[in-house]
Amino acid sequence: MTPQIRPDLDAIPAYIPGRSRPGAVKLASNETTVGPLPAAAKAIAEAAELANRYPDNQVTELRTALADFLGVGFANVAVGCGSVALCQELVQITCAAPTDEVLFAWRSFEAYPIVTKVGNATAVQVPLTADLVHDLEALAAAVTERTKLIFVCNPNNPTGTAVGKAALIRFLDAVPPHVLVVLDEAYYEYLRLSPDDRPDGVELGRTRPNVVVLRTFSKAYGLAGLRVGYAVGDPAVITALLKVHIPFSVNQVAQAAAIASLEARHELLDRTDLLVTERERVRDVLVAAGYQVPPSEANFVWLPLGERSAEYGEAGAEAGVLVRPYGTDGVRVTIGDPHENELFLGFATDPAVLTRFLG
Ligand code: PMP
């Protein structure tokens, strides 16, 4: 006899990571292409020597460094095994019954429906606008007395679109203060909106206890393989996150690498300028070739290819470029090194490909 497992788990979609294949260029997981900085590599090696010891479960040193960096208190910062773990923990601290609702735009980060179901809550999805941007008015209007949590992914994965500060403030003002709003800023470092309109969740959250911000070391900081993300919010939210946190799930190597990378942030953040230059170049070439590409504020671009998305992904793989198709909505292409982007553009603008997918 097999043990009893929650039957509703069958309905949870699998998280499908971007493919890798030896010899192929991987533009499928929004990773950075460069390995850890020497200082981070040294910290990693040193911390690995202590692998016989449990890590600091309070993540004290990293939380202190993050609090200093962000200008917030130690009690305002929680660290998770990647920000995706924090997404799940945020559902766990807000939702206690299957009727509790988690609200988010769609299409957005594919983990949101998964963590909602894992948390035994109900997902409510609000379509993006025709321009593939968050429809913040519709999102605010979808709040009911059952809504416990709202995810706003800004810039949005996988469309790359971002909402500006003024629109975000209007939205936050419209949401009842007892509903927790998660501003998922995994791609924050790639935003290049004008300083006046640049949305900074940490700033917006200073006066709003119902706002929690998620950021990660996986993207601009280049530590995707070590799994470190963080949440910034009201001490009550942070305390609750610490309660549901899986003990020791942020390991010592990850903590040490994150501290070293935070100290070397200027070098890492400078690299985002190169990426943004490449992002604009890739988008310009694609648009000139006839693709519709929404303006991106992240480290990827989105091609809304509809029904042809999966086929496009296969054709890319055959040409040696792994991109990420999403159902029948579109294909997300990570911006890589210039030679990788060239390989992708060579495929994407091949006349045969253009005829097949845009014709
Ligand atoms: N949020 C968004 C919007 C993401 O795209 C990702 C990674 N794909 C994450 C959170 C999770 O990142 P990590 O767990 O690596 O910190």
Side-chain angles (χ1 to χ4, degrees):
M1 187 159 139
T2 52
Q4 266 191 354
I5 307 282
R6 272 172 53 184
D8 63 314
L9 291 187
D10 288 344
I12 300 184
Y15 186 93
I16 304 169
R19 293 199 279 175
S20 320
R21 185 199 292 167
V25 164
K26 186 182 177 199
L27 301 177
S29 294
N30 295 348
E31 298 151 330
T32 45
T33 53
V34 192
L37 292 172
K42 184 163 172 278
I44 289 169
E46 283 169 9
E49 300 272 328
L50 296 172
N52 54 315
R53 302 290 179 190
Y54 282 104
D56 171 13
N57 194 43
Q58 294 293 316
V59 200
T60 313
E61 213 184 322
L62 176 56
R63 285 170 67 202
T64 306
L66 282 167
D68 269 10
F69 163 55
L70 298 164
V72 299
F74 178 79
N76 295 110
V77 184
V79 174
C81 179
S83 55
V84 72
L86 291 161
C87 290
Q88 185 158 317
E89 291 161 10
L90 284 160
V91 176
Q92 287 176 305
I93 68 166
T94 50
C95 298
T99 46
D100 288 345
E101 291 178 357
V102 178
L103 189 59
F104 49 88
W106 200 249
R107 197 173 261 278
S108 191
F109 181 32
E110 68 195 297
Y112 299 154
I114 299 175
V115 296
T116 301
K117 284 211 169 144
V118 170
N120 206 15
T122 298
V124 176
Q125 301 180 341
V126 174
L128 297 170
T129 66
D131 294 335
L132 304 177
V133 182
H134 269 74
D135 189 341
L136 292 178
E137 278 174 23
L139 211 53
V143 172
T144 71
E145 71 280 1
R146 294 180 299 279
T147 309
K148 302 291 180 210
L149 183 67
I150 309 176
F151 283 112
V152 177
C153 187
N154 197 36
N156 188 44
N157 175 13
T159 57
T161 50
V163 291
K165 182 166 146 187
L168 206 49
I169 290 175
R170 273 197 303 279
F171 168 74
L172 293 174
D173 288 346
V175 173
H178 63 273
V179 175
L180 188 59
V181 180
V182 182
L183 301 178
D184 184 342
E185 298 186 338
Y187 301 96
Y188 176 77
E189 293 83 1
Y190 303 104
L191 269 164
R192 292 295 183 275
L193 295 180
S194 73
D196 286 354
D197 206 27
R198 186 183 165 89
D200 178 341
V202 174
E203 288 310 316
L204 296 177
R206 284 188 200 277
T207 51
R208 294 177 172 85
N210 70 323
V211 169
V212 61
V213 179
L214 295 182
R215 291 192 189 158
T216 180
F217 282 93
S218 296
K219 309 295 173 186
Y221 286 81
L223 297 178
L226 290 181
R227 318 300 307 122
V228 201
Y230 57 95
V232 185
D234 188 77
V237 174
I238 299 302
T239 304
L241 283 173
L242 296 175
K243 289 197 172 161
V244 299
H245 174 73
I246 295 181
F248 307 118
S249 56
V250 182
N251 71 68
Q252 191 54 42
V253 174
Q255 293 185 32
I259 291 164
S261 301
L262 197 59
E263 279 166 5
R265 63 183 169 274
H266 299 296
E267 196 170 334
L268 295 167
L269 295 178
D270 281 353
R271 288 180 185 167
T272 63
D273 288 335
L274 297 176
L275 186 128
V276 168
T277 305
E278 274 296 284
R279 172 180 85 198
E280 300 308 318
R281 181 180 79 85
V282 168
R283 179 168 181 267
D284 288 348
V285 173
L286 291 170
V287 169
Y291 286 88
Q292 283 175 16
V293 190
S296 171
E297 292 291 331
N299 66 342
F300 52 84
V301 290
W302 174 250
L303 313 179
L305 292 169
E307 301 285 339
R308 293 163 164 183
S309 303
E311 201 185 326
Y312 192 89
E314 282 312 315
E318 276 165 34
V321 193
L322 305 176
V323 294
R324 178 94 76 107
Y326 285 88
T328 54
D329 285 346
V331 175
R332 192 191 68 192
V333 185
T334 303
I335 303 299
D337 286 341
H339 75 275
E340 296 176 320
N341 303 332
E342 270 313 295
L343 194 70
F344 165 66
L345 289 174
F347 158 74
T349 62
D350 181 311
V353 170
L354 291 174
T355 311
R356 183 167 161 204
F357 293 99
L358 301 186

